[in-house]
Amino acid sequence: MVRSTAWLLGALLGLICVLPLVLMTPRTAQCTSLKTLENKLIGRRRNMKHNLPINYTIRVHYEEVFKLSNISRLRARVEDLEDGDLQDVWLLVNQEVLKRILRVLPVRHPSYKYTTDLEDLFRKVQQVFPPQTDEREPPERIEEIYKRVKEIDSKGWRFVTPKSLLDNCYRTMHCLFKDCFSSEDREQDYCGLPHWRKGRKRLQ
Ligand SMILES: *[C@@H]1O[C@H](CO)[C@@H](O)[C@H](O)[C@H]1NC(C)=O
Ligand SMILES: *[C@@H]1O[C@H](CO)[C@@H](O)[C@H](O)[C@H]1NC(C)=O
């Protein structure tokens, strides 16, 4: 009797340990990695604004400014565009942005570790999102963005604050992966600017 109870207990414990792994479907893993990133991005005001000189800007490619308006424009204009294409662009652009921010931060700068942590989290996100290009050719306009972002001698430069780059990252993440960020009570329009305007203080 004692033996079988012990066995049952053991089996039950085993099940409890294995269950989370079984439930960790690819989508769950994707949302988990994005939520971790989201949490980290909450620190962007302190790290990318308060720790830097007032109005400090860095030079980025035009294409590295990837905002909600870019998403709506691409969705309206590009045929055969899939969400996966935009998610790939988001991943690439923001990894480039982080490299640019790191390039101006000395290793001992208070925001250095924060930025490398973000890079790590991006790598983790990338691991659970196989690129679209494995399955199909992305539309030409998307290929063009990839090419331009990688160009070393770009002619189109803009000066922007690191904080605004990470704000773009944060908002477009909610728009492109909205299934991971939906709240129970009502549908949120993360892709629309009004959503971000009305709750400005709370959401930034
Ligand atoms: C920073 O930018 C704001 C808005 O453009 C401007 O009003 C302010 O004077 C600038 N501050 C400094 C120190 O340049
Ligand atoms: C986003 O739009 C701006 C113009 O507002 C443009 O310069 C930039 O290249 C676009 N970014 C991407 C990734 O298409």
Side-chain angles (χ1 to χ4, degrees):
M1 183 62 193
V2 172
R3 239 222 196 126
S4 69
T5 313
W7 184 86
L8 205 68
L9 212 65
L12 210 64
L13 271 177
L15 197 69
I16 291 169
C17 293
V18 171
L19 213 58
L21 291 180
V22 177
L23 291 177
M24 198 77 164
T25 58
R27 213 183 84 79
T28 319
Q30 291 176 342
C31 289
T32 307
S33 65
L34 287 167
K35 290 233 168 89
T36 314
L37 180 62
E38 180 197 29
N39 266 328
K40 193 82 191 172
L41 281 169
I42 289 172
R44 67 193 184 282
R45 176 183 287 273
R46 177 156 60 82
N47 283 283
M48 294 294 143
K49 187 168 179 179
H50 299 167
N51 286 354
L52 297 176
I54 292 169
N55 294 351
Y56 180 74
T57 58
I58 60 171
R59 196 180 74 153
V60 298
H61 280 160
Y62 277 145
E63 287 73 26
E64 280 154 2
V65 179
F66 185 56
K67 307 193 216 192
L68 293 175
S69 55
N70 291 91
I71 294 176
S72 48
R73 216 175 308 135
L74 288 168
R75 277 183 175 155
R77 293 191 191 157
V78 180
E79 257 179 66
D80 299 326
L81 184 73
E82 290 181 9
D83 268 0
D85 296 321
L86 292 170
Q87 290 168 353
D88 285 352
V89 170
W90 178 84
L91 268 168
L92 173 74
V93 162
N94 285 295
Q95 282 175 304
E96 292 301 314
V97 160
L98 290 174
K99 278 190 217 156
R100 289 202 186 277
I101 295 174
L102 273 181
R103 236 175 263 163
V104 298
L105 295 179
V107 178
R108 292 194 180 182
H109 190 279
S111 300
Y112 188 88
K113 167 125 193 330
Y114 175 80
T115 316
T116 53
D117 285 352
L118 278 179
E119 272 198 319
D120 286 342
L121 293 178
F122 261 96
R123 258 177 240 124
K124 295 210 173 100
V125 172
Q126 199 166 31
Q127 279 164 9
V128 288
F129 281 92
Q132 287 282 106
T133 40
D134 287 357
E135 288 166 26
R136 61 186 263 280
E137 294 248 313
E140 215 170 287
R141 178 76 190 87
I142 299 296
E143 300 251 28
E144 214 176 285
I145 294 174
Y146 290 151
K147 212 178 82 214
R148 296 253 200 89
V149 170
K150 294 280 177 199
E151 257 170 33
I152 296 163
D153 278 326
S154 169
K155 280 168 212 85
W157 296 104
R158 288 179 66 176
F159 285 87
V160 279
T161 64
K163 162 79 167 38
S164 73
L165 290 167
L166 291 196
D167 285 346
N168 294 342
C169 171
Y170 188 81
R171 294 172 181 192
T172 48
M173 171 174 78
H174 283 78
C175 168
L176 292 174
F177 305 91
K178 59 177 184 306
D179 293 348
C180 292
F181 298 108
S182 54
S183 60
E184 287 111 41
D185 41 337
R186 65 202 163 94
E187 183 84 357
Q188 304 275 6
D189 180 19
Y190 291 123
C191 295
L193 264 182
H195 171 83
W196 300 100
R197 290 226 177 92
K198 66 174 187 264
R200 203 163 192 139
K201 282 266 152 50
R202 189 169 47 86
L203 293 160
Q204 275 201 351

